[in-house]
Amino acid sequence: MKTERFFRPWELAMLIALCAACLAAVWASRTHMEISDQMIRLHVLAVSDSDEEQAVKLRVRDAVLEYLRPALADCGGKSDAAQTLSGALPEVETAARSAAEGRDVTVTLGEEYYPTRAYDGFSLPAGRYTSLRVTLGEGRGHNWWCVVYPPLCVTAAEASEQAIETLNTDTAQIITESDGYVLKFKILELWGELTEWLG
């Protein structure tokens, strides 16, 4: 005689938890890709943590941003901006050297892992992003990072809002959401750490 088998309560709970984890992983992966596919991050690493080196780092940041704003102004998207940056790495390095006061400068464009960061008016989840990396000396000091495309590394709120408007609606809503983003970004961060560990 055939008997029906039902899930025990703990089996059902495990199945529901597994389904929830799978859905969260799919959401995290898709959301991070939507965000990272529209951005290029900027990462400036100081020689050391001394006050002098940290001040030089900020001057280098300002010099790089001053060069990049007009250089990237007419780019029509991330791929266009990445192509422009790739061709302008020597000029970016020259701009950085002009403020580095004789320190060694290395400029690269590639993929880099970033932690979750909150900025003025928006937040970004952890994960891998296309990154313009400016390293001073051996880059052992505290770093500075933001978004170079679209130009979100600006202090003027109006300019920042205009840059955010260039993102698609879903991405703009996610990164500027004031309520609930902490939990969502924590899921993205855990997903990013897991994929980094597995990769």
Side-chain angles (χ1 to χ4, degrees), residues 50-197:
S50 73
D51 291 344
E52 179 185 0
E53 295 301 339
Q54 289 295 308
V56 169
K57 173 192 73 177
L58 296 179
R59 290 195 288 274
V60 168
R61 169 204 67 185
D62 292 344
V64 168
L65 288 174
E66 185 177 348
Y67 169 77
L68 289 177
R69 282 186 190 115
L72 298 176
D74 296 327
C75 291
K78 178 188 170 182
S79 61
D80 190 15
Q83 187 174 0
T84 299
L85 284 173
S86 182
L89 290 180
E91 289 81 3
V92 174
E93 186 173 318
T94 298
R97 285 186 188 283
S98 72
E101 301 175 7
R103 290 155 181 81
D104 288 337
V105 174
T106 306
V107 177
T108 58
L109 182 66
E111 294 289 318
E112 191 174 3
Y113 181 81
Y114 284 77
T116 298
R117 292 292 293 179
Y119 300 97
D120 186 21
F122 68 99
S123 302
L124 293 174
R128 294 194 74 77
Y129 292 83
T130 300
S131 178
L132 178 66
R133 183 179 172 112
V134 180
T135 306
L136 303 176
E138 294 183 3
R140 293 184 174 173
H142 278 96
N143 51 42
W144 184 91
W145 42 52
C146 196
V147 181
V148 74
Y149 186 85
L152 299 177
C153 297
V154 291
T155 55
E158 185 179 343
S160 183
E161 286 173 13
Q162 289 172 353
I164 287 173
E165 287 173 4
T166 67
L167 303 171
N168 72 39
T169 305
D170 290 342
T171 300
Q173 184 177 5
I174 289 169
I175 71 170
T176 58
E177 184 178 289
S178 58
D179 296 324
Y181 83 88
V182 174
L183 175 59
K184 291 177 183 178
F185 282 8
K186 193 61 181 172
I187 293 170
L188 287 172
E189 186 166 9
L190 291 171
W191 175 252
E193 289 174 358
L194 177 63
T195 55
E196 281 291 298
W197 181 73

